[in-house]
Amino acid sequence: MKCSSFFTASIALLAGAATAAPAAPLSVREPPSGVLPGLLNGLAKVLPAPLGNGLLNGVGEVFKGGDALLNNIVDAAETTLKGRPDKAITNAIQNGLGLLSSLPKDAANIAGIGGKKPASPKE
């Protein structure tokens, strides 16, 4: 009986998930909530603005680096399994160089001296 009820509940859950409404577009979604974002946002509000912004930008860059590393490993493995180890190496080098070339801009954003270019005066 327990197995049958588990199976029925699983089917009902999958059917409900299949008919659920799609996620809202990114611009309409709420900001991420949870322990880490809550702690970081709370700490950023307590610190002076430049330090708080630098903290948030720095944490963002750590996650960006981790994401790039994991994506490069997966992409290289996938390309190698498709029989193109030469392309896997080339892509890994290109992606690594792209990440390294963004470091100065990222460091400037963390330090608070980067960001958007000032608007040019209209004539």
Side-chain angles (χ1 to χ4, degrees):
M1 288 303 253
K2 287 184 181 181
C3 184
S4 175
S5 62
F6 176 75
F7 181 73
T8 305
S10 298
I11 296 298
L13 181 66
L14 290 174
T19 59
L26 221 65
S27 61
V28 180
R29 293 183 189 172
E30 294 181 15
S33 61
V35 175
L36 184 60
L39 288 173
L40 290 174
N41 285 330
L43 185 59
K45 288 178 183 176
V46 173
L47 294 172
L51 291 177
N53 291 337
L55 171 72
L56 294 176
N57 289 336
V59 170
E61 292 305 320
V62 168
F63 280 98
K64 175 183 167 185
D67 182 51
L69 178 68
L70 290 175
N71 285 337
N72 283 340
I73 291 171
V74 170
D75 289 344
E78 183 179 348
T79 307
T80 301
L81 290 174
K82 288 181 179 178
R84 296 291 314 267
D86 56 332
K87 188 175 179 182
I89 293 171
T90 303
N91 287 347
I93 291 172
Q94 286 177 342
N95 292 338
L97 290 175
L99 184 64
L100 288 175
S101 69
S102 72
L103 285 179
K105 183 187 84 151
D106 296 339
N109 285 339
I110 292 170
I113 55 176
K116 297 180 181 179
K117 295 180 180 177
S120 60
K122 294 183 180 182
E123 297 178 18

